[in-house]
Amino acid sequence: MRFLLKREMTMEKFTTLSSTAIPLDIENVDTDQIIPARFLKATDREGFGNNVFRDWRFDKNGNENPDFILNNKTYSGNILVAGNNFGCGSSREHAAWALTDYGFKVIVSSFFADIFKGNALNNGLLPVQVPADFLKVLLSEIKNKPDTQLIVNLELQTISIKGTSFKASFDIDAYKKTCMINGYDDIDYLLSKKQTIEAFEAKKTY
Amino acid sequence: MGKTLFDKVWDAHVVDAIENGPQVLYIDKHLIHEVTSPQAFNELKERDIPVFRPDQIVATADHNTPTINQHLPIKDLLSKNQLEQLSDNCKKNNITLYELGHKYNGIVHVMAPELGFTQPGMTIVCGDSHTSTHGAFGTIAFGIGTSQVAQVFASQCLLLSKPKSLRVTINGKLRAGVLPKDVILYIISKLGTNSGTGYFCEYAGDVFKNMSMEGRMTICNMSIEMGARGGMIAPDQTTFDYVEGREYAPKGEAFDKKVAYWKTLPTDVDATFDKEYFFDAEDIEPMITYGTNPGMGIKITENIPNINDASFEKSLEYMDFKKGESLINKPINFVFIGSCTNSRIEDFRVAADYIKGKQKAQNVTAWLVPGSKQVESQIIDEGLKDIFVNAGFELRQPGCSACLAMNDDKIPQGEYCVSTSNRNFEGRQGQGSRTILASPLVAAAVAIEGKIIDITKQLN
Ligand code: SF4
């Protein structure tokens, strides 16, 4: 792709990731759960990780809820494997910032809400959409064997369990894939199109 | 082959396309507010990029503003700082801002249409998922993340792949007491919360043709609640009449020229959609939600369904409801009439009409929060305020308020709130709060009775 030549690096590059994963077996996780509204008063992008899943992680007095999976030290890793329809609701990009700030680099689900997916990709957080039955097996494998290593290969668009033949491929827009692999973002591209945009403005008919 | 309303508007805004990739879509209007814009302004500053078209941006303060004593300094320092940054950023970048206290201030999706900023055939974006509201005008309008806010600042464009198309057609006549909110809650309860993901939805048929602009906005507003990026309704005489004469609307000959163009926008008869759904108006009744997503809705007369599913059960546990039970006679202590879904003058007229001459139940705290300063003035001018105050309701000042509880308007832990807003997610209206979504009529009735009642009995 021609436009990529003169762009600077603005995002962290992503090619492959091998990590253990945290199984969040809950459906319809909305962005209000990922980061509740009362934490949206900040005016920069940092520090949201402290409050990711705040009301599931902590009780009203700020004590850890031992039943919530993120507080279960058996599970760790940069991959969050979540139930169907992840990221629905509010457009708050703070949700993506909170997840990356906490340390996640990949979210796996059988379905992602549109805006969340875009926000994630714009922040170097890879949404990996897998078939529902694959997700089911993945969740139970991780739950049973917390040291299960997942391998996410963006180049090949595959996710697999290390040391097994258990594998699925996932879709990603070709342009977004190039951006993720190279650490580019959309602003660079749009700025390179300034003249075309101005020409469009000059002759728009509606 | 014919084109859909969505195709026509989209195609007219494509600046360029990347091979095997997204298109560059031109954005006519960009709405901003205090919560999702500061990081975008920062990014531009850090990268030394100027705002490209400041005159196509309008700003308001809404999410984080207090709804009482708006003339006093804001007590919460973080909120105060966020509002100050918005003012500062707008000033530095020559962006029109309707700040707290301004006669045009209000919830972004209420004030923009009111000012005639929203017009048919446009593309409108805002860092807020309920931007879909503006689709009521035959506009492509959708919510974006903060990175995209920065992209629009920088280039007045976005990189997007064209979504698929979906149409929901409802013909027939709505029953008495069935409001636009019931129609959209009904649609979402039938289709589910992710049925629209990847799609833009058009609403067609008698029901929407006969609906006011306020009602159409309520419908399009909640398109996001079925996963759709946005919803649209074909512009017609109702639309043109609403837009004409408003502050930012074209005037005189320019307006006539626009109308001639807007008339070409409705979907061609031979156009096709990727998905189509049909419902009958007569099947819709006043609705209510019982769970923690907007798809968990039933007719107020129905019982909670019996579904064996872990997510469903988790949701009922949070709400402290049981499978198979009816919600009628459940005591309710909080009622909220407001939010970008139902805080326009029509919503308050419906509520006032029901409340007139009655008294709020003792146990109920009832907040009425207008969507904008203009709606607030209308409420006062039309004498509705007196009706509300005499009945024991509290009319507050405009803002998002208890819709997302970012300010002090929070519902206490464990309490139910019958709310005209759009989301019943866990803790949406305050930590541990339980939200029941309904129309302004149902909300008003609940406030009077202090419990959920079968409103249909009073309507027939
Ligand atoms: S009223 Fe609620 S849904 Fe609407 S913009 Fe404000 S917070 Fe969002």
Side-chain angles (χ1 to χ4, degrees), chain B residues 19-266:
Chain B
E19 224 184 287
N20 297 322
Q23 295 173 317
V24 179
L25 193 78
Y26 190 78
I27 304 302
D28 295 315
K29 304 280 174 183
H30 186 189
L31 311 172
I32 62 170
H33 61 83
E34 75 275 27
V35 177
T36 55
S37 67
Q39 291 88 351
F41 279 115
N42 289 347
E43 185 175 349
L44 251 67
K45 211 164 97 192
E46 277 159 24
R47 293 166 73 169
D48 203 16
I49 303 168
V51 174
F52 183 50
R53 294 286 178 249
D55 53 341
Q56 285 168 241
I57 309 172
V58 161
T60 185
D62 55 3
H63 281 65
N64 208 350
T65 52
T67 56
I68 45 166
N69 293 326
Q70 289 187 345
H71 61 288
L72 296 179
I74 293 173
K75 279 187 268 159
D76 181 317
L77 287 182
L78 288 173
S79 303
K80 186 163 173 266
N81 175 43
Q82 209 170 42
L83 292 170
E84 280 170 1
Q85 281 216 18
L86 180 71
S87 302
D88 197 42
N89 283 326
C90 287
K91 205 162 163 194
K92 281 195 188 125
N93 293 288
N94 291 319
I95 293 167
T96 306
L97 164 69
Y98 297 119
E99 60 195 343
L100 193 61
H102 191 284
K103 67 174 179 172
Y104 291 156
N105 174 258
I107 305 174
V108 61
H109 313 308
V110 177
M111 55 78 77
E114 240 173 25
L115 290 173
F117 201 68
T118 306
Q119 294 163 27
M122 282 183 168
T123 48
I124 299 185
V125 295
C126 173
D128 187 281
S129 57
H130 292 98
T131 308
S132 59
T133 311
H134 307 263
F137 291 78
T139 305
I140 291 185
F142 53 92
I144 56 177
T146 297
S147 295
Q148 292 175 307
V149 171
Q151 289 161 28
V152 182
F153 279 163
S155 67
Q156 206 56 38
C157 286
L158 280 174
L159 281 173
L160 295 163
S161 300
K162 191 173 178 178
K164 287 185 274 189
S165 63
L166 154 71
R167 179 162 63 183
V168 174
T169 305
I170 309 185
N171 282 314
K173 200 167 169 293
L174 292 175
R175 292 163 187 261
V178 174
L179 301 187
K181 180 63 162 287
D182 300 308
V183 175
I184 190 65
L185 284 175
Y186 178 84
I187 296 173
I188 301 167
S189 77
K190 292 289 170 200
L191 302 184
T193 47
N194 61 24
S195 56
T197 307
Y199 292 80
F200 233 83
C201 175
E202 177 172 345
Y203 302 94
D206 308 338
V207 164
F208 307 107
K209 270 190 208 128
N210 297 329
M211 209 175 257
S212 67
M213 285 316 293
E214 283 84 352
R216 293 179 189 182
M217 284 189 252
T218 302
I219 298 286
C220 290
N221 174 277
M222 288 191 70
S223 303
I224 183 80
E225 258 49 78
M226 59 172 167
R229 202 66 191 269
M232 289 176 102
I233 293 173
D236 59 9
Q237 199 56 46
T238 306
T239 323
F240 312 147
D241 291 346
Y242 181 97
V243 173
E244 188 168 15
R246 292 183 186 264
E247 179 110 7
Y248 282 99
K251 308 266 150 45
E253 222 172 282
F255 181 76
D256 298 338
K257 251 178 84 182
K258 283 281 182 191
V259 170
Y261 168 62
W262 296 342
K263 283 184 175 166
T264 67
L265 294 175

Side-chain angles (χ1 to χ4, degrees), chain A residues 40-41 93 188 193 201 206, chain B residues 26 28 53 76 146-147:
Chain A
L40 307 186
K41 294 179 183 182
E93 195 160 313
D188 304 319
K193 286 280 160 188
E201 285 179 320
Y206 57 86
Chain B
Y26 190 78
D28 295 315
R53 294 286 178 249
D76 181 317
T146 297
S147 295

Side-chain angles (χ1 to χ4, degrees), chain A:
Chain A
M1 285 186 222
R2 174 177 46 87
F3 68 88
L4 296 173
L5 291 175
K6 63 188 220 346
R7 308 205 295 143
E8 311 155 40
M9 261 193 30
T10 40
M11 234 169 38
E12 213 180 301
K13 294 182 186 184
F14 189 111
T15 45
T16 60
L17 174 71
S18 175
S19 168
T20 50
I22 300 179
L24 180 70
D25 194 0
I26 300 176
E27 290 184 6
N28 300 315
V29 173
D30 59 74
T31 52
D32 274 78
Q33 305 318 319
I34 301 174
I35 183 86
R38 62 185 188 282
F39 300 113
L40 307 186
K41 294 179 183 182
T43 52
D44 52 34
R45 291 175 187 236
E46 275 82 53
F48 288 103
N50 291 333
N51 295 313
V52 73
F53 297 114
R54 175 79 200 194
D55 295 341
W56 286 345
R57 263 166 81 201
F58 301 99
D59 68 12
K60 237 192 146 168
N61 305 318
N63 301 316
E64 273 194 9
N65 165 13
D67 296 334
F68 186 59
I69 199 80
L70 256 60
N71 295 330
N72 184 338
K73 300 289 177 274
T74 329
Y75 301 102
S76 63
N78 307 120
I79 303 175
L80 182 71
V81 182
N84 191 45
N85 196 25
F86 187 86
C88 54
S90 159
S91 63
R92 59 188 70 159
E93 195 160 313
H94 311 68
W97 301 334
L99 290 164
T100 51
D101 193 46
Y102 188 81
F104 292 116
K105 296 193 181 328
V106 170
I107 313 286
V108 183
S109 176
S110 50
F111 201 88
F112 289 96
D114 280 339
I115 306 182
F116 175 79
K117 198 189 216 169
N119 287 342
L121 287 165
N122 282 334
N123 287 280
L125 177 66
L126 183 66
V128 171
Q129 186 165 326
V130 296
D133 41 354
F134 184 90
L135 181 71
K136 215 169 142 191
V137 177
L138 204 57
L139 279 167
S140 74
E141 280 292 314
I142 303 166
K143 277 194 233 170
N144 294 334
K145 283 180 264 149
D147 60 348
T148 303
Q149 285 273 335
L150 302 186
I151 302 171
V152 177
N153 186 322
L154 178 56
E155 208 101 47
L156 301 174
Q157 297 180 217
T158 57
I159 175 166
S160 55
I161 295 182
K162 196 173 180 179
T164 73
S165 58
F166 192 69
K167 190 187 255 190
S169 48
F170 60 88
D171 282 340
I172 180 170
D173 180 288
Y175 163 80
K176 273 293 165 198
K177 181 175 167 179
T178 315
C179 289
M180 285 281 288
I181 290 175
N182 297 288
Y184 300 143
D185 82 358
D186 291 350
I187 287 195
D188 304 319
Y189 177 74
L190 288 167
L191 286 176
S192 75
K193 286 280 160 188
K194 208 84 177 245
Q195 278 183 340
T196 320
I197 296 169
E198 277 166 346
F200 175 88
E201 285 179 320
K203 63 176 207 318
K204 67 179 186 225
T205 48
Y206 57 86

Side-chain angles (χ1 to χ4, degrees), chain B residues 3 18-19 103 132 142 224 243 276 305-306 328 380 384 400:
Chain B
K3 281 180 154 195
I18 297 177
E19 224 184 287
K103 67 174 179 172
S132 59
F142 53 92
I224 183 80
V243 173
E276 290 231 48
N306 254 306
I328 298 198
I380 296 167
L384 309 185
C400 292

Side-chain angles (χ1 to χ4, degrees), chain B residues 228-379:
Chain B
R229 202 66 191 269
M232 289 176 102
I233 293 173
D236 59 9
Q237 199 56 46
T238 306
T239 323
F240 312 147
D241 291 346
Y242 181 97
V243 173
E244 188 168 15
R246 292 183 186 264
E247 179 110 7
Y248 282 99
K251 308 266 150 45
E253 222 172 282
F255 181 76
D256 298 338
K257 251 178 84 182
K258 283 281 182 191
V259 170
Y261 168 62
W262 296 342
K263 283 184 175 166
T264 67
L265 294 175
T267 296
D268 297 329
V269 263
D270 56 342
T272 55
F273 289 80
D274 296 308
K275 271 207 284 204
E276 290 231 48
Y277 297 100
F278 298 87
F279 299 105
D280 287 326
E282 288 77 9
D283 292 341
I284 309 174
E285 285 180 29
M287 298 286 295
I288 200 151
T289 64
Y290 59 86
T292 55
N293 73 58
M296 299 175 84
I298 46 175
K299 292 175 182 171
I300 208 164
T301 52
E302 286 177 334
N303 293 356
I304 295 176
N306 254 306
I307 299 173
N308 291 325
D309 170 274
S311 290
F312 183 82
E313 283 156 8
K314 178 174 174 290
S315 183
L316 284 196
E317 192 185 318
Y318 181 85
M319 293 300 288
D320 196 21
F321 288 148
K322 292 182 185 54
K323 290 182 192 177
E325 79 173 334
S326 159
L327 294 188
I328 298 198
N329 289 329
K330 285 271 176 202
I332 302 290
N333 296 330
F334 290 84
V335 169
F336 169 63
I337 301 185
S339 91
C340 57
T341 314
N342 286 117
S343 65
R344 298 181 181 81
I345 189 62
E346 256 188 23
D347 303 311
F348 293 101
R349 285 188 195 134
V350 168
D353 198 44
Y354 183 88
I355 291 164
K356 196 170 187 174
K358 301 188 178 86
Q359 273 300 315
K360 168 187 83 66
Q362 282 286 327
N363 59 311
V364 172
T365 302
W367 288 337
L368 303 167
V369 184
S372 70
K373 287 297 270 185
Q374 293 207 69
V375 173
E376 184 186 39
S377 308
Q378 280 173 296
I379 291 173

